[in-house]
Amino acid sequence: MRHRYSILFFPLHVIVDFLSLNTAFVGAYFIKFQQLEAVFQPPYTSLWVLFNVVWLAEILVLKPYIYPRQLFKAYHLIKKLLILMAIHIAIISVYWVAVKGYYYSREHLFITYILFTGLAAAFRIGSVLFLQEYRARGYNNRRYVIVGYGKLAASIQSFYDTHPEMGFRFHGYFDQPSADNKGILRGGYDDLYACIESDGIDCVYCCMPYIDNGRMKTIVENAENVDYQVKLLVDFRGFLARGASVEYHDFLPVLSLSSQMLADFQVNTLKRSFDILFSMAALGLGLPLFLILAAITRFTSKGPIFYAQERIGQEGKPFKIYKFRSMYVNSEKSGPVLSGGLLDARITPWGRFMRSTRLDEVPQFYNVLIGDMSVVGPRPERQYFIDQIVEIAPEYRSLLKVKPGITSIGQIKYGYAANIDEMVQRLRYDLLYPKRRSFLFDMWIIAQTLRVMAQGRGK
């Protein structure tokens, strides 16, 4: 009989865990009280029985000893053990409060769980090490074949060849013979079932790119009679790297491909929550400073305090961006012109100071609060300049997939751009953001921005 010892793994785990639990309970009592008589008498017998009943219930309900070979690793086993322990502790705690069992020693309970965790974890680690070595020596194997030959098929064979501790042994490729697979196949589709019966094959991997649905259906239907597993190999690697997700239409899995690489719910939720809190704090706590900046802007040059301009935001949606005015009025009456840096004659003396310290950007916290922008993100540009940038660097379009920000890597490393070529150079920095975006990375960019502001190095 194949794998005649595998059936023993489940009862062995159960027996060892119960032995560990009871040894820990009695051993902890001895460590605490230096005697064992009372542990066999009420009220400790009731608690002892409950310990075992709760653990048995967890085994029956959660089935913690059922796992595939690929997950038979110390990390997964210890993690599952800790989950079981947490549930066990919670139930015993509820019982302790319900019966007002203050006569039970808390130190005894604490030592019991420490001992049990140590014993159970030691057994699991020992089991992993033993089985890995046992399987690497050629015992307790699972025999598999691959139907459909190609790069994907070769990759699964390579994976198991480099992990002999998993105990998977390769028994050949099966496919329609051709010039590409000559000398590689063990046989064609008609030879597959004879191999399964003669070699006692446990698992048949079907490579979806290289096998048609009709043949795969036959393989699946035959599995019920011959007793082997069928596993499908689908090459999602290129899609998953582009932000694909799996949806379920009733029982039918559907792979959803999206160009929105950064539609990660957790990151976006955390980022938006931070944006709201940070912008509210900045606008609230910085109000006295903003009033001073507004007054100085108003009295140092003629014109409005704020400057509003249309920019392009996420997914190409236009919005109005707000700044403290740093240029003389009507500086662009002849058409859109990029700033020539701090020496640009259109910039007011006070505007040069605000630009070097980035204080002119402060009103954009209002844009953040209403959702047009984020605190951290690529700088938004006007459509007029975007059209010119895209002609030189088409990859700029990827930046429109994320929300623009007040500060960015490009603003820190490069600063303001005076022409299209400089905008493209700054773009090289900003293109790093979508690939590395995270909450901690945002914090680093904000810290660097504050340093630039304090040093007055904005340009």
Side-chain angles (χ1 to χ4, degrees):
M1 183 174 65
R2 288 184 286 166
H3 325 305
R4 58 187 181 277
Y5 299 120
S6 297
I7 196 173
L8 299 177
F9 292 161
F10 177 82
L12 182 62
H13 270 210
V14 174
I15 292 170
V16 171
D17 274 355
F18 272 106
L19 286 175
S20 300
L21 179 65
N22 289 279
T23 300
F25 189 90
V26 175
Y29 192 90
F30 182 79
I31 292 173
K32 171 60 181 174
F33 299 106
Q34 300 299 309
Q35 55 94 12
L36 292 176
E37 290 80 3
V39 76
F40 299 102
Q41 302 171 4
Y44 270 91
T45 51
S46 300
L47 182 62
W48 193 355
V49 170
L50 182 63
F51 258 66
N52 286 272
V53 170
V54 172
W55 191 258
L56 177 61
E58 288 188 82
I59 292 174
L60 295 175
V61 174
L62 301 177
K63 299 178 174 60
Y65 306 120
I66 299 175
Y67 33 70
R69 289 189 173 210
Q70 290 82 354
L71 295 181
F72 191 76
K73 299 178 181 178
Y75 167 76
H76 294 285
L77 298 182
I78 299 301
K79 179 181 178 181
K80 188 171 288 188
L81 171 64
L82 294 178
I83 293 173
L84 293 174
M85 291 288 293
I87 297 173
H88 196 279
I89 292 171
I91 295 175
I92 295 299
S93 300
V94 171
Y95 167 79
W96 187 63
V97 173
V99 302
K100 298 181 180 179
Y102 307 117
Y103 39 80
Y104 294 127
S105 169
R106 284 174 289 184
E107 291 182 42
H108 166 252
L109 294 176
F110 177 75
I111 297 172
T112 297
Y113 283 116
I114 293 296
L115 290 177
F116 180 38
T117 303
L119 292 171
F123 170 71
R124 283 159 171 77
I125 294 173
S127 298
V128 170
L129 296 177
F130 170 76
L131 277 177
Q132 287 181 347
E133 180 63 23
Y134 188 65
R135 288 166 176 168
R137 290 175 179 269
Y139 302 102
N140 189 237
N141 291 326
R142 294 289 188 270
R143 306 176 184 93
Y144 74 98
V145 295
I146 300 176
V147 181
Y149 178 75
K151 290 184 179 179
L152 184 61
S155 67
I156 193 66
Q157 182 196 356
S158 176
F159 172 78
Y160 284 130
D161 286 348
T162 55
H163 294 280
E165 73 279 2
M166 290 186 179
F168 281 80
R169 294 294 175 264
F170 180 56
H171 282 250
Y173 294 109
F174 292 85
D175 202 344
Q176 188 69 32
S178 67
D180 295 332
N181 55 36
K182 185 177 181 180
I184 298 174
L185 301 182
R186 178 170 175 176
Y189 293 115
D190 296 335
D191 304 311
L192 172 64
Y193 302 107
C195 172
I196 291 174
E197 293 188 6
S198 64
D199 291 11
I201 299 300
D202 302 291
C203 184
V204 176
Y205 281 90
C206 296
C207 293
M208 294 291 286
Y210 321 123
I211 182 174
D212 61 70
N213 290 339
R215 294 190 184 277
M216 188 175 68
K217 181 180 178 182
T218 302
I219 293 172
V220 173
E221 291 174 346
N222 193 57
E224 299 179 5
N225 301 322
V226 186
D227 188 25
Y228 58 84
Q229 287 184 318
V230 178
K231 296 188 178 183
L232 305 183
L233 283 172
V234 184
D235 195 358
F236 289 153
R237 291 170 296 182
F239 298 124
L240 294 177
R242 292 174 173 81
S245 61
V246 178
E247 301 172 353
Y248 286 89
H249 298 182
D250 290 331
F251 62 89
L252 182 66
V254 178
L255 185 66
S256 175
L257 304 179
S258 173
S259 60
Q260 298 181 20
M261 298 166 52
L262 303 170
D264 181 273
F265 176 77
Q266 292 181 343
V267 173
N268 286 334
T269 301
L270 180 61
K271 186 175 178 66
R272 182 57 185 154
S273 299
F274 172 79
D275 285 343
I276 293 173
L277 294 175
F278 192 88
S279 58
M280 289 178 65
L283 292 172
L285 298 177
L287 183 59
L289 173 63
F290 304 157
L291 293 176
I292 294 173
L293 294 176
I296 297 176
T297 302
R298 178 67 182 85
F299 292 112
T300 53
S301 62
K302 294 181 179 180
I305 296 173
F306 298 104
Y307 174 71
Q309 188 180 73
E310 185 178 276
R311 298 287 176 96
I312 302 302
Q314 190 174 22
E315 302 300 332
K317 180 181 177 181
F319 70 96
K320 290 287 186 180
I321 193 173
Y322 297 96
K323 297 183 178 184
F324 281 123
R325 181 177 54 82
S326 60
M327 289 187 175
Y328 294 107
V329 177
N330 295 326
S331 294
E332 288 190 331
K333 57 184 178 181
S334 300
V337 180
L338 286 169
S339 169
L342 295 180
L343 299 179
D344 193 324
R346 298 174 301 160
I347 302 175
T348 66
W350 170 243
R352 290 190 179 88
F353 171 78
M354 287 198 296
R355 287 195 168 212
S356 66
T357 56
R358 302 285 170 81
L359 291 174
D360 62 319
E361 312 279 2
V362 167
Q364 291 166 39
F365 282 112
Y366 172 73
N367 289 113
V368 174
L369 193 61
I370 63 177
D372 290 332
M373 296 176 64
S374 180
V375 176
V376 177
R379 288 296 297 168
E381 299 294 346
R382 285 179 278 182
Q383 188 65 57
Y384 177 82
F385 296 117
I386 290 176
D387 293 339
Q388 298 179 62
I389 295 172
V390 169
E391 290 182 5
I392 302 173
E395 59 269 28
Y396 177 85
R397 293 191 181 93
S398 65
L399 294 183
L400 297 179
K401 301 299 180 183
V402 297
K403 191 173 291 187
I406 297 177
T407 186
S408 68
I409 309 176
Q411 285 291 92
I412 296 169
K413 298 293 186 180
Y414 198 91
Y416 295 103
N419 53 57
I420 296 298
D421 289 337
E422 290 187 0
M423 294 180 80
V424 172
Q425 292 179 41
R426 185 176 65 188
L427 167 68
R428 305 305 177 190
Y429 292 104
D430 283 337
L431 284 172
L432 297 173
Y433 182 72
K435 300 176 183 178
R436 300 178 58 185
R437 190 180 69 154
S438 69
F439 181 74
L440 292 178
F441 191 44
D442 282 4
M443 296 302 100
W444 179 83
I445 293 176
I446 291 173
Q448 296 301 310
T449 302
L450 293 175
R451 180 172 59 84
V452 169
M453 292 176 66
Q455 296 175 350
R457 294 194 297 106
K459 63 176 184 175

